[in-house]
Amino acid sequence: MTLAGFIAYSGALAIAAAIPGPGVTALVARALGSGFRSSLFMSIGLVLGDLTYLTAVVLGLAVVAQTFGTLFLIIKWAGVAYLSYLAWKLWTTGISTEKIEAKKSRGGNISAILAGLTLTLGNPKTMLFYIALTPTLVDLHSITLADYSILAVITVIVLMIVLVPYLALAAKARGLLASPRALKRLNRTAAAFMAGAALAIAGRAG
C-alpha cells in the first residue's frame, strides 16, 4: 500500500466514526450512566468490532459475510435486544449515588467490552464501511501482512481519537449531576439514548 492509500483510509474512517450513530450514542449513554472508565472499556469493544471487520475483509471474507447474511442478522438483533435491556434497566432501576461506586467495584469491564463489540458487529453502518467501502480504498489483492498491521494500528488510533472526546465530555457532565432529581434525569436520558441506539440499529437495512 502507498502512503496515499493509508491517508485515504484514515480520513474515511475518521469521518465515518465521527458521524453520530448507534455506536457513539450508546457510548455517550454508557458514559452518562457509568462514568469514563466503563465507557472507555466499551470503546475498546467498539474498536475490537472494527478490527474484526477489517480482518474479515482483508482475509477475503466479505463475500462470505454477504452470502451468510443470517449470521449478521442474528448478531444485529442480539445487539438490539441487549441495548433495549440496558435502556429498560436504566429507566426502571436507574442509578443512585450509592450504586455508582458499587457498579464500579463489581468489575464490569468485560461486560462493557462485550457490549461495545456486540454493538459494532451488529451495526449496519460499520458493516457497510468495511464490506463495501474499504475494498475501494484498499487493494485487497496485493495487501501484505505489514500493510494489514499498519491498517490495524491506524484503525485503533483513529477510532480512539474520535471516540474518547465523546465519552470524556459525557462523563464530565455526569459528574456535575449529583442530586437525586438530577440522577433521575440522568437515568432517563441515558435510557433514551440506549433505546435510540437500539431503534437506529433495528431500523436500518441489513
Side-chain angles (χ1 to χ4, degrees):
M1 286 186 62
T2 64
L3 178 60
F6 287 123
I7 293 175
Y9 173 80
S10 302
L13 178 61
I15 292 172
I19 297 173
V24 170
T25 301
L27 190 64
V28 169
R30 188 89 182 198
L32 285 172
S34 301
F36 182 85
R37 181 182 174 85
S38 180
S39 58
L40 179 61
F41 277 94
M42 185 177 185
S43 70
I44 292 174
L46 292 174
V47 173
L48 289 176
D50 277 66
L51 290 176
T52 300
Y53 274 121
L54 174 64
T55 303
V57 170
V58 169
L59 292 177
L61 298 182
V63 175
V64 176
Q66 292 172 336
T67 303
F68 298 97
T70 302
L71 174 62
F72 288 87
L73 281 176
I74 292 173
I75 295 174
K76 168 184 172 178
W77 288 108
V80 170
Y82 184 67
L83 289 174
S84 299
Y85 168 75
L86 291 179
W88 177 75
K89 288 288 288 183
L90 280 169
W91 190 273
T92 56
T93 306
I95 302 165
S96 65
T97 53
E98 296 81 10
K99 287 182 179 178
I100 290 174
E101 292 303 321
K103 283 194 174 184
K104 287 184 179 180
S105 66
R106 281 202 292 266
N109 296 337
I110 299 299
S111 174
I113 291 175
L114 290 176
L117 177 61
T118 302
L119 177 60
T120 299
L121 293 180
N123 185 358
K125 173 186 170 185
T126 309
M127 291 185 201
L128 180 64
F129 177 82
Y130 285 101
I131 294 177
L133 184 58
T134 299
T136 68
L137 301 170
V138 178
D139 185 359
L140 298 177
H141 298 290
S142 61
I143 191 171
T144 65
L145 179 59
D147 291 333
Y148 165 75
S149 300
I150 294 173
L151 286 173
V153 171
I154 288 174
T155 299
V156 173
I157 293 174
V158 169
L159 290 178
M160 295 308 290
I161 288 175
V162 172
L163 296 177
V164 167
Y166 275 111
L167 63 92
L169 289 173
K172 183 176 181 180
R174 172 181 176 268
L176 299 176
L177 302 173
S179 70
R181 180 175 296 179
L183 276 175
K184 183 177 181 179
R185 290 197 299 267
L186 171 65
N187 291 327
R188 298 296 171 86
T189 300
F193 271 115
M194 285 291 186
L199 288 173
I201 294 177
R204 293 188 183 189

